[in-house]
Amino acid sequence: NVRHLLSGAQMHTILLSKYGKEEDYRIAEAYYLEGLQIGPNVPPLLYGLFELYRGVGNTPDAVELAKIITSNWPGDEGMKNYLMGTQ
């Protein structure tokens, strides 16, 4: 269920921000990626994984997600600004 995967990803993202454990990053990423296999255009999954990557400094993967997000939602000015700032 996508909802459960999203909840698990969000929980481990919070734990990562609080404690900085690599394990929480790996688990959060795995939950987001598994959820995206089920629903590749589910906004909370895309934006959540983008924020996870951006938060840990994984710019290449964050940029790829920003491109996917802006292709799905071309009016997202925040993502357009992010992409412009990484060029």
Side-chain angles (χ1 to χ4, degrees):
N1 184 316
V2 172
R3 214 171 321 143
H4 292 114
L5 294 168
L6 177 60
S7 293
Q10 291 170 331
M11 179 184 69
H12 283 280
T13 300
I14 291 168
L15 290 170
L16 174 65
S17 69
K18 184 159 177 75
Y19 300 108
K21 292 184 178 179
E22 176 73 21
E23 179 182 6
D24 288 313
Y25 170 78
R26 287 193 312 272
I27 294 170
E29 180 185 41
Y31 279 136
Y32 280 125
L33 292 173
E34 187 175 344
L36 286 168
Q37 287 180 347
I38 298 168
N41 294 316
V42 175
L45 294 171
L46 288 167
Y47 282 91
L49 187 55
F50 166 79
E51 289 297 335
L52 178 68
Y53 287 153
R54 189 174 67 96
V56 299
N58 184 346
T59 302
D61 286 335
V63 165
E64 287 306 310
L65 278 167
K67 289 177 183 177
I68 293 168
I69 290 167
T70 55
S71 72
N72 288 331
W73 300 283
D76 188 329
E77 294 300 321
M79 283 297 148
K80 287 180 187 176
N81 291 337
Y82 174 78
L83 286 170
M84 289 177 56
T86 58
Q87 295 178 358

